[in-house]
Amino acid sequence: MPPESGFSSRFVNAGDGLRLHLRDYGPLEATALPVVCLPGFARTAADFHELARAIAEDEARPRRVLALDYRGRGLSAYDPDWKNYEIRIELDDMIQALVASGIEQAVFVGTSRGGLLTMALAAARPAMIRGAVLNDVGPVIDARGLLRIRGYVGKLPVPRSFQEGAEILKRLSDQQFPILNDAEWEMMARRTWTDRDGPLRPDYDAKLMKVLEELDLEAPLPVLWPYFDALNGVPLLAIRGANSDLLADKTLHEMAERHPDCEIFTTPGQGHAPLLGSTDMIRRIARLIARAERRAG
């Protein structure tokens, strides 16, 4: 499989000096509203590649699309203290990256952890958000999903090849994603493990599992409706995988009832979290971006 292209790989410094990586798609001089893509907990900027290229290279309206690697993921540096893999520090990292990239306002596309960061940003810096896509995450998180994620982050067997990695992921998540074909499982494997330094290894700091082990999933999880309500001033697209164990259908519909401009969509045959690179998903997200631009004037 050829290396991915169509973006500039850039590095910026976090507030504590840690080196952060981001992918920068599209022309720097574009005047259209930028888009910022935020991945899931143990995922990387690569998850947004197809979406980012399609949006950035739209002939009628090209735009910048940034996709971030959080600290400890992808090409960003690993933090020597795993306790810094927490959302307040990652929020500060994101703001630092946007300031360094010259982005004052954007549409945010957040998958899982990225959606939590989007809601946190809406509460902390509402003027930075002109529109939002929450991918399989909302203000109420189902502990079943967190239990499942805690069961594999940092604990998966290391495959000898990406094809073997695809088999591992398929055995782990086939019930959540019965719609995926072999090529899509291999793509997932190539975005879960890396061979940059030789033998395959996870493309994230294995100490991320310590963050999940610290969670008390017997206790009620915090409810984040006040953070969600901070998005009331911008158009919203909320996506749920039909087989998701992290975002309940009831929560999705409550989000639509509560938000004044929220479109919801449940994608069949997928769980947590849906892939965003299909033609249909790109079309839906592009429509949300257009709504955000019209409202921004």
Side-chain angles (χ1 to χ4, degrees), residues 145-153 155 209 212-217:
L146 289 177
L147 274 169
R148 183 180 52 78
I149 294 168
R150 187 163 71 178
Y152 70 80
V153 169
K155 301 171 184 174
M209 78 171 117
L212 297 171
E213 288 171 349
E214 288 280 298
L215 294 176
D216 179 5
L217 297 181

Side-chain angles (χ1 to χ4, degrees), residues 5 28 37 41 51 54 121 123 133 146 157 192 199 202 218 224-225 240 260 279:
S5 61
L28 285 173
C37 298
F41 179 72
L51 172 69
L121 182 67
V133 177
L146 289 177
T192 300
E218 299 295 323
L224 305 174
W225 286 113
R240 176 179 182 268
T279 301

Side-chain angles (χ1 to χ4, degrees), residues 189-255:
R190 290 179 179 275
R191 293 173 180 177
T192 300
W193 291 279
T194 179
D195 59 358
R196 280 194 300 275
D197 307 319
L200 291 186
R201 62 172 178 80
D203 204 8
Y204 55 84
D205 186 349
K207 291 177 182 172
L208 279 172
M209 78 171 117
K210 292 180 178 292
V211 178
L212 297 171
E213 288 171 349
E214 288 280 298
L215 294 176
D216 179 5
L217 297 181
E218 299 295 323
L221 292 169
V223 174
L224 305 174
W225 286 113
Y227 292 88
F228 177 78
D229 291 343
L231 289 168
N232 273 352
V234 300
L236 177 67
L237 170 61
I239 298 167
R240 176 179 182 268
N243 302 323
S244 175
D245 55 6
L246 197 98
L247 177 63
D249 186 60
K250 176 176 179 293
T251 302
L252 181 74
H253 283 85
E254 192 170 349
M255 291 161 70

Side-chain angles (χ1 to χ4, degrees), residues 35-57:
V35 173
V36 176
C37 298
L38 304 170
F41 179 72
R43 306 298 303 176
T44 72
D47 282 348
F48 298 99
H49 182 65
E50 291 78 18
L51 172 69
R53 282 203 66 171
I55 292 173
E57 297 173 7

Side-chain angles (χ1 to χ4, degrees), residues 74-141:
L75 292 174
S76 289
Y78 290 10
D79 197 307
D81 183 355
W82 64 267
K83 292 184 178 178
N84 287 335
Y85 295 138
E86 62 108 354
I87 207 151
R88 283 172 298 184
I89 290 177
E90 290 167 3
L91 176 64
D92 187 65
D93 288 349
M94 175 177 63
I95 293 171
Q96 294 279 349
L98 296 184
V99 170
S101 302
I103 290 182
E104 298 177 351
Q105 295 183 326
V107 173
F108 289 76
V109 181
T111 292
S112 193
R113 177 85 153 196
L116 297 179
L117 280 166
T118 299
M119 287 189 279
L121 182 67
R125 301 282 184 92
M128 294 186 78
I129 299 186
R130 306 308 302 176
V133 177
L134 300 183
N135 184 23
D136 214 59
V137 67
V140 180
I141 296 172

